[in-house]
Amino acid sequence: MFLTGDKMKDVFLKAKRNRFGIIASNVVFDTQIRAIIQGYAAANSDGLMQMSSGAVKYAAGASQDIKIGAELISVMIKTFAKQFNNAGIGLHIDHATPNYFDFLVYCIENGLVTSVMIDASAEKMEENIRITKEVVAVAHKYNILVEGEIGHIKGTEDEIVSDTELYTKPEEALEFVQKTDVDLFAASVGTNHGVSKGAKIELHLDLIKEIDDLLIKHNCERGLVLHGASGLTDWQQQTAIKNGVVKINKDTHYQMDMAAAVQAFWEKEKYAIVCPPDISPDDYVPNKSKFDPRKWLVKGEEAMQATVKGFCEMSGSANNSILL
Ligand SMILES: [Zn+2]
């Protein structure tokens, strides 16, 4: 079922108390939405779907009207999630920069989402706090959760490009949380957006614990968020969860799985749509039972469903839905 913001708050509270992680999955297409919600349900896990600014533009088609795109994704998720009473599904806006402020307000006021991320991390701290506070003021009126961020996460994610890497300072995290009252806090601990390999990343997992301990000590415990987690090892992610992370963002991994599954299908079934060299084009008949999109897209769907189920088992959210 689709969860409201206050229910999603319960999800994160349970995750924090029992030290497991909620997988937040970036989606655009209906294929991904089906795969990922079914994956959460197969794992008896709650989960968060995420749409980036690029995703809502894409979803709207040629108009690139982000409100249309967000409405479309939201209605697909809400409708599809209705079928499952063993998995609570939320919808989050990922990395909305301050120029998307009006869009965030639109999504909040129209009940499209469960939570939003305002990413003003490119601004100076004081300005980041001011903008984030404004979003929190609107969101909390509608029981919508807010994720904020300070520092930069290395790599590329849609319109966010950062090649410098700044680790979050615990004292700044404390100041940011106290002044903004965000519900979720994205810490920069050395992860990369996009494709990366765990071994090459200088990950500061102790920094997560340092931030978490400091927030708890000052009576403002929050759920910490790990971005750019697709290239991390299971152990790295599980350590991050143990240290205070409750939300792990996943995007790239699904994209690779989907592409690989579809590529494998077409490598095997190439001549269903391409005339083989030993047959005359006049005699060639393409094979509709193979090129029907339902036949090959479903391969990507099955792969993504297995991936998210595996993520939930890895993060400990499997069999831990608040709906059970
Ligand atoms: Zn991110």
Side-chain angles (χ1 to χ4, degrees):
M1 78 192 270
F2 190 75
L3 298 183
T4 52
D6 49 342
K7 280 276 177 278
M8 190 46 77
K9 196 165 196 166
D10 293 344
V11 168
F12 285 121
L13 282 174
K14 183 176 179 184
K16 190 75 195 274
R17 210 170 40 234
N18 299 316
R19 297 283 159 160
F20 62 83
I22 295 298
I23 302 297
S25 306
N26 281 66
V27 291
V28 190
F29 307 97
D30 62 330
T31 297
Q32 297 172 313
I33 289 169
R34 271 198 304 277
I36 289 166
I37 294 179
Q38 283 179 172
Y40 287 132
N44 295 308
S45 171
D46 298 324
L48 198 56
M49 314 292 272
Q50 307 196 127
M51 47 187 185
S52 65
S53 49
V56 291
K57 261 183 210 162
Y58 184 91
S63 75
Q64 302 211 330
D65 182 330
I66 54 178
K67 291 177 182 170
I68 297 286
E71 279 172 31
L72 182 71
I73 292 174
S74 177
V75 82
M76 281 197 285
I77 290 172
K78 284 179 180 175
T79 308
F80 195 78
K82 265 186 210 165
Q83 303 174 89
F84 305 98
N85 55 16
N86 62 330
I89 306 298
L91 176 57
H92 179 79
I93 298 175
D94 192 23
H95 284 289
T97 43
N99 49 323
Y100 287 96
F101 183 85
D102 293 344
F103 171 67
L104 288 182
V105 172
Y106 178 84
C107 292
I108 291 166
E109 288 184 343
N110 287 282
L112 302 186
V113 293
T114 307
S115 53
V116 300
M117 176 182 192
I118 172 71
D119 180 355
S121 63
E123 307 294 326
K124 291 227 158 59
M125 179 71 161
E126 206 177 309
E127 184 63 0
N128 186 352
I129 288 171
R130 187 189 68 75
I131 296 165
T132 305
K133 252 173 94 169
E134 267 185 58
V135 174
V136 169
V138 181
H140 283 184
K141 218 162 59 185
Y142 291 83
N143 281 325
I144 300 288
L145 309 182
V146 179
E147 175 182 342
E149 176 181 330
I150 54 173
H152 299 269
I153 292 155
K154 202 172 160 185
T156 306
E157 178 158 344
D158 274 349
E159 292 167 11
I160 315 283
V161 180
S162 169
D163 38 42
T164 50
E165 182 178 4
L166 302 170
Y167 292 94
T168 301
K169 295 178 185 74
E171 310 73 42
E172 283 188 358
L174 176 66
E175 183 193 354
F176 183 79
V177 168
Q178 282 178 327
K179 288 187 174 164
T180 60
D181 194 27
V182 287
D183 306 279
L184 296 160
F185 175 72
S188 298
V189 295
T191 55
N192 274 275
H193 281 129
V195 180
S196 54
K197 287 268 179 263
K200 288 182 199 146
I201 297 170
E202 211 192 309
L203 201 61
H204 291 195
L205 294 170
D206 292 349
L207 184 56
I208 298 169
K209 189 164 165 31
E210 243 181 88
I211 294 168
D212 193 45
D213 285 347
L214 191 68
L215 293 177
I216 291 171
K217 194 175 136 198
H218 287 83
N219 212 15
C220 53
E221 181 176 11
R222 292 296 190 277
L224 303 183
V225 181
L226 196 61
H227 284 246
S230 276
L232 303 189
T233 66
D234 288 357
W235 179 84
Q236 286 171 325
Q237 294 173 78
Q238 286 159 346
T239 305
I241 292 165
K242 205 171 65 195
N243 288 356
V245 162
V246 293
K247 175 175 177 273
I248 297 193
N249 289 5
K250 294 286 186 182
D251 185 5
T252 310
H253 204 123
Y254 297 126
Q255 296 174 346
M256 290 199 297
D257 284 354
M258 182 169 189
V262 172
Q263 193 274 339
F265 177 91
W266 282 117
E267 189 156 297
K268 191 164 151 255
E269 306 291 356
K270 178 179 174 187
Y271 296 121
I273 197 70
V274 175
C275 180
D278 56 341
I279 294 181
S280 150
D282 296 338
D283 299 332
Y284 175 65
V285 183
N287 186 347
K288 182 172 162 56
S289 75
K290 304 286 185 195
F291 66 69
D292 178 337
R294 290 172 294 183
K295 293 292 174 0
W296 53 271
L297 262 180
V298 76
K299 300 296 175 191
E301 199 165 318
E302 286 163 2
M304 283 187 287
Q305 183 175 327
T307 298
V308 69
K309 184 169 180 273
F311 283 158
C312 294
E313 284 157 2
M314 177 278 298
S315 74
S317 70
N319 300 314
N320 265 319
S321 169
I322 60 161
L323 302 178
L324 295 176

